[in-house]
Amino acid sequence: MAEEVSNKQIIFKDYIHGFPKESDMILKTSTIKLKVPDGCSDAVLVKNLYLSCDPYMRSRMSKIDDNYVPIFTPSEPMSGDGVAKVVDSSHPDFERGELVTAITGWEEYTLIKSSESESETHFIRKIHHTNVPLSYNIGILGMPGMTAYTGFYEISKPQQGDTVFVSAASGAVGQLVGQFAKLSGCYVVGSAGTKDKVDLLKTKFGFNDAFNYREETDLDAALKRCFPQGIDIYFDNVGGEMLDAVLPNMRLNGRIATCGMISQYNLKPAEGVRNLLYIMAKQIRMQGFLVYHYRHLYPKLFDLVEPLLEQGRIAYVEDVAEGLESAPAALIGLFSGRNVGKQLVRVASD
Amino acid sequence: MAEEVSNKQIIFKDYIHGFPKESDMILKTSTIKLKVPDGCSDAVLVKNLYLSCDPYMRSRMSKIDDNYVPIFTPSEPMSGDGVAKVVDSSHPDFERGELVTAITGWEEYTLIKSSESESETHFIRKIHHTNVPLSYNIGILGMPGMTAYTGFYEISKPQQGDTVFVSAASGAVGQLVGQFAKLSGCYVVGSAGTKDKVDLLKTKFGFNDAFNYREETDLDAALKRCFPQGIDIYFDNVGGEMLDAVLPNMRLNGRIATCGMISQYNLKPAEGVRNLLYIMAKQIRMQGFLVYHYRHLYPKLFDLVEPLLEQGRIAYVEDVAEGLESAPAALIGLFSGRNVGKQLVRVASD
């Protein structure tokens, strides 16, 4: 008989409008047998170690036709990227004790069933990077790393000497874009929402300059101060008012990588952006991307980042909340900018 | 002694805000000697036959920092693309009697001086297409043709079977985009502002479908009716509210060619566009272009269009206002959609 243990879970209560609140998620304690059920083939039972809090998860909390990510199921656990350890497996590729990244539940233990969908096979991967903090596998070596790689190299097509602006620049993605830009010989400026984050950009991540958008009374003036010759590449994590201020400051043939619009996710309708005429007048290419369509580029990310990590030439700052109970507050903190760096939740240490 | 003749001119009064009015332009009669002045080398004196009225000219009427086209000079004649005949020349490449296209003044006779700027050498070209209406040289074989070619083939990258939406579809550019799309095996729908224009789209230009945007109470519903599976390519001539309605109707990997935003040129601030989140969610590429950066593609336009014209497989509808005096009203009519097809002014017949 398999051992039955308690399994704390963070349950998604119901679809929401506007800003998410902690009370939209409920802590519940159920039980689970630490064994893949009989007859459940190609399944893996994992113990969750780290969970990732990401802005895109907001989109999973509202029922919208034609959503770009699957929505959460009310009364079921929240889910997202996680680092986990295999407790039991009926899958030939995974065995007890192995470390994996997977789409896991926001709970202590998750039974990950196989799926016939081709893309689902990507949802669980063995961890091969063991000489870096485990959590990096859902950070710099995971989805945020891939997002920064894709948006900067594939979408923005940087040239040496380009001027690059990054919003939400100390976040999970922005901090990497800034460092990639420096490595590519670009001049890079970031915006963030506190003095400490601005300091971090300039000292830890090597941005040429940075500003606190909350303290600027005139974003256009701030951008003109930082980019007297204009901006070649804007890596847009926020949308809205900042995008509107950036557009007139773009240079001819500028590129805008539309990675996210965190300032807009909780607004309905979104803010209106008025300066789109510059898309024409400056021959701007504004291009969106969804990182899960670029999974084939993971080897290129690893080839770039692994030596940089080994040589200490790239940094990755994480903000780790302790305990599953802290997950709702950690997720909500993303939308007020409470996190400093990549937001994680540590569920267990091993 | 050279003959001195009267030279009617349309004078640009002063910089404007908002919608242009006829009274922003003044008819004046001056005189001109029909001879290139002594000591003025590489100059050409022309008699103007056709003048082109184009939406971009609105941008030349306001003093804006960092404008993408040169602004008009108050108290000087308006200017733009024209078809003209050489009356006198001190330029070795042009001689009396030759037909040219050039950036000419809005006047009966213009002295075109050479410029050291490389790009200026493109401002006067000999007309080689004599088996088509002369005016086509500033229409389908001129800037509007090049704009449709560049925006459709170079920016939108059409694939057979793509669904294409064109706004201002009966205009100088839109009518060609629709026909190019049909020739490329696309499904194409256009919007226009009168029933007659909508009929023209469906009968003369072969659009699969068309609608009158002024009669639709819900643009989103109109687009969903015409594109139940969504839009692959949006050729945007208007911006604003229509762009906002199009964004949620775009398909994954859709392309928006930002050609113009005529609905916005007279508004300050412009309307806010709220649905930009779809740029990310649908991986849309929205790209602006300025046709004068694509002049090197003229031979490709000619290769495409000349045989189509000869075989009667492409149509081009023009709206010709008679006499220089009618030019201000013709220009202003563009912004209320009074023109049907490419708006021209006939100054003289030869």
Side-chain angles (χ1 to χ4, degrees):
Chain A
M1 282 292 288
E3 185 189 359
E4 185 165 271
V5 298
S6 85
N7 187 24
K8 280 189 286 189
Q9 300 179 307
I10 304 291
I11 302 294
F12 173 58
K13 206 165 147 189
D14 204 352
Y15 304 119
I16 66 166
H17 301 281
F19 276 82
K21 307 178 300 295
E22 285 193 51
S23 59
D24 296 325
M25 294 161 270
I26 303 165
L27 180 70
K28 176 184 157 186
T29 304
S30 62
T31 60
I32 189 168
K33 281 192 183 168
L34 291 187
K35 193 175 178 316
V36 171
D38 292 342
C40 188
S41 62
D42 293 343
V44 180
L45 183 80
V46 299
K47 180 181 183 188
N48 295 313
L49 306 180
Y50 286 97
L51 302 175
S52 176
C53 296
D54 296 293
Y56 82 89
M57 297 173 75
R58 171 64 187 83
S59 302
R60 304 187 63 188
M61 299 176 80
S62 286
K63 200 167 190 174
I64 302 167
D65 287 345
D66 201 22
N67 210 332
Y68 68 101
V69 282
I71 53 178
F72 291 129
T73 307
S75 305
E76 293 285 316
M78 305 276 292
S79 67
D81 281 331
V83 171
K85 190 179 225 172
V86 177
V87 172
D88 189 30
S89 171
S90 65
H91 193 296
D93 296 346
F94 298 94
E95 59 183 49
R96 185 184 163 85
E98 284 183 323
L99 291 165
V100 295
T101 60
I103 302 293
T104 63
W106 278 24
E107 55 194 348
E108 290 175 285
Y109 298 94
T110 300
L111 179 66
I112 302 171
K113 294 179 189 169
S114 74
S115 160
E116 289 174 18
S117 137
E118 194 274 329
S119 68
E120 295 285 315
T121 63
H122 294 278
F123 283 6
I124 180 162
R125 292 162 175 269
K126 258 180 252 206
I127 286 178
H128 299 290
H129 302 94
T130 50
N131 55 346
V132 296
L134 254 189
S135 53
Y136 277 19
N137 289 284
I138 50 172
I140 184 171
L141 296 165
M143 186 273 281
M146 200 62 235
T147 302
Y149 182 91
T150 302
F152 187 64
Y153 291 105
E154 296 290 316
I155 306 292
S156 306
K157 305 275 186 217
Q159 301 287 319
Q160 192 169 352
D162 276 351
T163 58
V164 178
F165 177 56
V166 188
S167 52
S170 72
V173 173
Q175 59 177 296
L176 292 174
V177 174
Q179 293 177 88
F180 290 164
K182 286 305 297 175
L183 289 163
S184 304
C186 299
Y187 180 88
V188 60
V189 178
S191 65
T194 68
K195 184 183 178 307
D196 287 351
K197 291 181 187 179
V198 167
D199 290 345
L200 198 64
L201 294 177
K202 292 198 267 192
T203 54
K204 183 105 183 161
F205 302 128
F207 282 64
N208 295 89
D209 203 350
F211 64 87
N212 179 347
Y213 70 90
R214 294 187 212 257
E215 285 188 349
E216 299 288 345
T217 49
D218 180 346
L219 291 177
D220 178 68
L223 292 165
K224 284 194 165 47
R225 186 180 72 229
C226 295
F227 295 101
Q229 309 300 319
I231 300 167
D232 291 304
I233 294 173
Y234 173 39
F235 195 102
D236 187 4
N237 288 309
V238 303
E241 188 186 357
M242 184 67 89
L243 173 59
D244 225 356
V246 165
L247 282 162
N249 286 290
M250 292 297 288
R251 298 182 71 182
L252 193 69
N253 299 319
R255 289 133 278 160
I256 298 177
T258 304
C259 176
M261 295 198 170
I262 196 171
S263 74
Q264 305 299 305
Y265 295 162
N266 301 307
L267 307 179
K268 200 163 179 69
E271 289 178 282
V273 171
R274 299 181 183 279
N275 286 321
L276 293 175
L277 198 52
Y278 288 90
I279 300 265
M280 177 194 75
K282 297 295 183 79
Q283 295 205 136
I284 293 167
R285 173 167 58 82
M286 181 171 173
Q287 188 166 349
F289 64 102
L290 297 169
V291 66
Y292 59 84
H293 290 147
Y294 291 84
R295 285 204 192 95
H296 59 285
L297 299 178
Y298 265 105
K300 292 179 83 169
L301 171 70
F302 296 156
D303 286 351
L304 174 71
V305 165
E306 282 165 10
L308 293 171
L309 281 170
E310 267 176 36
Q311 297 156 23
R313 291 174 59 211
I314 196 164
Y316 199 62
V317 170
E318 301 175 326
D319 191 331
V320 183
E322 287 296 336
L324 185 68
E325 295 84 346
S326 68
L331 177 63
I332 286 158
L334 294 175
F335 301 100
S336 58
R338 219 179 52 191
N339 59 307
V340 179
K342 167 67 192 161
Q343 182 66 56
L344 297 161
V345 177
R346 177 157 36 211
V347 182
S349 40
D350 75 343
Chain B
M1 282 291 290
E3 186 188 0
E4 186 165 272
V5 298
S6 85
N7 188 22
K8 280 189 285 187
Q9 300 179 306
I10 304 291
I11 302 294
F12 173 58
K13 204 164 149 192
D14 204 351
Y15 304 119
I16 65 166
H17 301 282
F19 277 80
K21 305 179 301 296
E22 285 192 51
S23 59
D24 296 325
M25 294 162 269
I26 302 164
L27 179 70
K28 178 183 155 187
T29 303
S30 62
T31 59
I32 188 168
K33 280 190 183 168
L34 291 187
K35 190 173 181 317
V36 172
D38 293 340
C40 188
S41 61
D42 293 343
V44 180
L45 182 79
V46 299
K47 180 181 184 188
N48 295 313
L49 306 181
Y50 287 97
L51 302 176
S52 175
C53 295
D54 297 293
Y56 83 89
M57 296 174 74
R58 171 62 187 85
S59 303
R60 305 188 63 188
M61 299 176 80
S62 286
K63 200 166 190 174
I64 301 166
D65 287 344
D66 201 20
N67 209 332
Y68 68 102
V69 281
I71 52 177
F72 291 128
T73 307
S75 305
E76 293 284 316
M78 306 277 291
S79 68
D81 281 331
V83 171
K85 189 178 227 175
V86 178
V87 171
D88 189 30
S89 170
S90 65
H91 193 296
D93 296 347
F94 297 95
E95 59 185 49
R96 185 184 164 87
E98 284 183 324
L99 291 165
V100 296
T101 61
I103 303 292
T104 63
W106 278 24
E107 55 195 348
E108 291 176 282
Y109 298 93
T110 300
L111 179 66
I112 302 171
K113 293 179 189 171
S114 74
S115 159
E116 288 174 17
S117 137
E118 195 272 328
S119 68
E120 295 285 316
T121 63
H122 295 279
F123 283 6
I124 181 162
R125 292 162 174 269
K126 257 181 254 208
I127 286 178
H128 299 291
H129 301 94
T130 50
N131 54 346
V132 296
L134 254 189
S135 53
Y136 277 19
N137 289 284
I138 50 173
I140 184 171
L141 296 166
M143 187 274 281
M146 201 61 235
T147 302
Y149 183 91
T150 302
F152 186 64
Y153 292 104
E154 296 289 316
I155 306 293
S156 306
K157 306 276 186 213
Q159 302 286 319
Q160 192 169 353
D162 276 351
T163 57
V164 177
F165 177 55
V166 187
S167 53
S170 70
V173 174
Q175 59 177 295
L176 292 174
V177 174
Q179 293 178 88
F180 290 164
K182 286 306 295 175
L183 290 164
S184 303
C186 299
Y187 180 88
V188 60
V189 178
S191 65
T194 67
K195 183 182 178 306
D196 287 349
K197 290 182 186 179
V198 167
D199 290 344
L200 199 63
L201 294 177
K202 292 199 267 192
T203 53
K204 182 105 183 162
F205 302 129
F207 283 63
N208 295 91
D209 203 350
F211 65 87
N212 180 347
Y213 70 90
R214 293 188 212 254
E215 284 188 350
E216 300 287 343
T217 50
D218 181 345
L219 292 177
D220 178 67
L223 291 165
K224 284 193 166 48
R225 185 179 74 228
C226 296
F227 296 101
Q229 309 298 320
I231 299 166
D232 292 304
I233 293 172
Y234 174 40
F235 195 102
D236 187 5
N237 288 310
V238 304
E241 189 186 356
M242 183 66 90
L243 173 59
D244 224 357
V246 165
L247 283 162
N249 287 291
M250 291 298 289
R251 299 183 71 182
L252 192 70
N253 299 320
R255 289 133 276 160
I256 298 177
T258 304
C259 175
M261 296 196 170
I262 196 171
S263 74
Q264 305 299 303
Y265 295 163
N266 301 307
L267 307 179
K268 200 162 180 67
E271 288 178 283
V273 170
R274 299 181 184 279
N275 286 321
L276 293 175
L277 199 51
Y278 288 91
I279 300 266
M280 177 194 74
K282 298 294 183 78
Q283 294 205 136
I284 293 167
R285 173 167 58 82
M286 180 170 173
Q287 188 165 348
F289 64 102
L290 296 170
V291 66
Y292 58 85
H293 289 146
Y294 291 85
R295 285 203 193 97
H296 58 286
L297 299 178
Y298 264 105
K300 293 179 83 171
L301 170 71
F302 296 157
D303 287 350
L304 174 71
V305 166
E306 282 166 11
L308 294 171
L309 282 170
E310 268 177 35
Q311 298 155 23
R313 291 174 58 212
I314 196 163
Y316 199 62
V317 169
E318 301 176 323
D319 191 332
V320 183
E322 286 297 335
L324 185 68
E325 295 84 345
S326 68
L331 177 63
I332 285 158
L334 294 175
F335 301 100
S336 58
R338 219 180 52 190
N339 58 306
V340 178
K342 167 65 191 161
Q343 182 67 57
L344 297 163
V345 177
R346 179 160 29 215
V347 183
S349 40
D350 76 342

